[in-house]
Amino acid sequence: MMTEPVLSLKGVEKRFGSFRALGPVDLDVGAGERLGIIGPNGSGKTTLINCITGVYRPDSGSVFFEGRDISHLQAHKRARMGIARSFQIPRPFTGMTVFENLLVPLDYCQVEGSKHDRARSVLASVGLSGRLSDPSERLTQLELRKLELARALVGNPKVLIADEAMAGLSEEEIDEVLKILFALNRSGVAVIMIEHIMHAVMRFSERVVCFETGRLIAAGTSSEIAENPLVQKVYFGE
Ligand code: ADP
Ligand code: MG
């Protein structure tokens, strides 16, 4: 069913003191897959991302990227290999234009052609061409989300992990972000969508996994997950 996994987690566990926030988790993500991750607040989703991207080193288990064990690599090395993430709360560099905001992460990337061209084309791909020379403080909530995605995409990643990229947006705005993510995925990028907006994650994902208290409790297609009794129990009680 799945192509060669681009990402693979084997027995990944993360503790804070004696509290186990995550795991053990086994999870494969296919190259070019659209994977949704759901689960209530505190279920370990962001901790999972932090283990994948290298913010945290798992206490046990391993993370593989394209078959290579990257568990010991620092975050910037993983980013350079092609693992990008957008943050739950966008924090653009203030006092800089939208365009300049992209030049900062580009400093750490190797790209073909000029960095300015790359910045322009990524900003165009998220619909921010008209905002290049505006200060980031002047962006709307939707535009901030787009800039956050653009900053993640500037290094041409193979995997994008979008942590609640649509929180607080209107239905129309959600559609816009979904369009951007679908287009990105069509270009071959695997997208991991962590999202509370259920209809969006269900519409987007080829496969959805659900976490509860740090454990992966269910996996399946959107409709399988919607009908899964364990998932229903987590979200709606008995
Ligand atoms: P989610 O993203 O699903 O809301 P998190 O991964 O942020 O959940 O958190 C999982 C659990 O780990 C929560 O109980 C949270 O309080 C705890 N946690 C997360 N980060 C830390 C940290 N740096 N120190 C201590 N506890 C943490
Ligand atoms: Mg979170």
Side-chain angles (χ1 to χ4, degrees):
M1 163 215 131
M2 213 161 35
T3 51
E4 169 85 10
V6 63
L7 260 183
S8 190
L9 281 72
K10 299 207 191 302
V12 168
E13 249 184 291
K14 179 65 193 169
R15 294 169 186 275
F16 297 106
S18 60
F19 173 68
R20 181 165 62 191
L22 183 70
V25 177
D26 292 298
L27 179 64
D28 284 344
V29 183
E33 190 182 6
R34 295 189 307 278
L35 175 72
I37 299 184
I38 62 170
N41 278 328
S43 59
K45 305 180 298 296
T46 298
T47 302
L48 175 83
I49 297 172
N50 286 335
C51 288
I52 294 172
T53 54
V55 176
Y56 298 145
R57 209 163 280 198
D59 294 302
S60 53
S62 302
V63 180
F64 296 86
F65 178 72
E66 296 187 321
R68 174 177 167 197
D69 190 344
I70 58 165
S71 314
H72 60 287
L73 292 183
Q74 289 177 299
H76 70 274
K77 295 213 171 116
R78 300 189 200 195
R80 211 173 288 164
M81 292 173 83
I83 303 173
R85 64 101 56 93
S86 66
F87 286 88
Q88 213 166 327
I89 299 165
R91 288 199 184 87
F93 302 111
T94 52
M96 285 189 192
T97 66
V98 168
F99 183 67
E100 287 164 348
N101 258 272
L102 275 236
L103 296 183
V104 176
L106 265 169
D107 256 354
Y108 303 94
C109 300
Q110 282 171 330
V111 296
E112 281 174 43
S114 100
K115 296 199 169 180
H116 283 216
D117 288 349
R118 175 74 193 156
R120 259 182 230 107
S121 82
V122 173
L123 286 167
S125 76
V126 299
L128 285 178
S129 287
R131 293 294 236 160
L132 299 188
S133 51
D134 287 321
S136 59
E137 291 90 329
R138 225 178 284 157
L139 298 183
T140 66
Q141 185 60 29
L142 173 63
E143 289 169 332
L144 280 172
R145 299 278 170 181
K146 290 177 173 180
L147 177 58
E148 180 63 18
L149 286 175
R151 295 207 298 177
L153 295 174
V154 81
N156 207 10
K158 292 178 178 157
V159 181
L160 171 73
I161 307 172
D163 196 359
E164 299 196 30
M166 296 181 270
L169 299 183
S170 72
E171 289 301 320
E172 271 170 49
E173 293 170 334
I174 288 168
D175 280 351
E176 244 188 271
V177 174
L178 281 176
K179 263 188 209 147
I180 292 168
L181 294 177
F182 269 117
L184 178 72
N185 177 252
R186 275 195 302 276
S187 76
V189 179
V191 179
I192 302 176
M193 177 185 284
I194 289 101
E195 198 49 74
H196 279 304
I197 301 168
M198 218 41 92
H199 69 87
V201 73
M202 293 298 186
R203 179 141 65 94
F204 182 75
S205 308
E206 297 165 281
R207 183 166 63 113
V208 177
V209 297
C210 178
F211 279 80
E212 189 204 19
T213 57
R215 303 284 197 131
L216 200 163
I217 59 159
T221 62
S222 294
S223 46
E224 284 164 359
I225 283 292
E227 286 161 16
N228 185 300
L230 281 175
V231 175
Q232 290 178 352
K233 196 171 159 196
V234 165
Y235 279 97
F236 308 112
E238 291 298 333

